Amino acid sequence: MTDTPVANEPSPNRGVMIVLAYLWILAIVPLIIEKSDREVQWHAKHGIVLMIAELALWIAILFLTSVAGLATLGLGCVMMLFAIFVWVGILVLHVVAIVKGIGGGRLIVPGISQYADRF
């Protein structure tokens, strides 16, 4: 017997790797380590795609908040409050993706998840 897993056989570390896949930059770990588990690979790619989308969103929010803060102090403060709700929403999205991934499913985010299949 060999110790290398079969291509369709789930990894014994699948749960840990799926959790790592949705912890932003740590998604690189399962992408590199679990080459033979297609499901872990998809979740790692999905985690990277989500990270890039979230970074773009944060850059846009910070830019808009800065511009609004320079224009009127009150609007900038309101937008920073909005940013806190966005951050909580992102955390909830990651928790739901982890729970679905560990349960054997996939969380599909419209407009974003399709890019996980492209690389």
Side-chain angles (χ1 to χ4, degrees):
M1 284 187 136
T2 61
D3 290 332
T4 57
V6 180
N8 293 330
E9 182 179 322
S11 166
N13 300 324
R14 180 178 266 187
V16 173
M17 291 299 159
I18 288 175
V19 170
L20 286 176
Y22 292 104
L23 296 179
W24 293 282
I25 195 68
L26 292 178
I28 294 172
V29 173
L31 190 65
I32 293 171
I33 292 177
E34 294 293 339
K35 295 266 186 204
S36 61
D37 192 334
R38 292 176 50 136
E39 195 65 21
V40 170
Q41 285 288 301
W42 186 88
H43 285 285
K45 292 174 184 178
H46 191 244
I48 291 171
V49 167
L50 283 177
M51 178 185 67
I52 292 168
E54 290 160 7
L55 284 173
L57 177 66
W58 279 114
I59 289 170
I61 287 174
L62 288 175
F63 176 75
L64 292 173
T65 302
S66 298
V67 170
L70 288 174
T72 62
L73 182 60
L75 186 58
C77 291
V78 170
M79 289 188 70
M80 282 307 292
L81 185 62
F82 171 72
I84 293 170
F85 290 116
V86 170
W87 178 249
V88 171
I90 288 172
L91 289 177
V92 168
L93 177 76
H94 282 264
V95 169
V96 170
I98 289 169
V99 170
K100 283 192 81 147
I102 290 174
R106 293 180 175 181
L107 177 68
I108 304 299
V109 180
I112 296 174
S113 296
Q114 65 190 6
Y115 294 104
D117 294 325
R118 293 191 180 179
F119 72 94

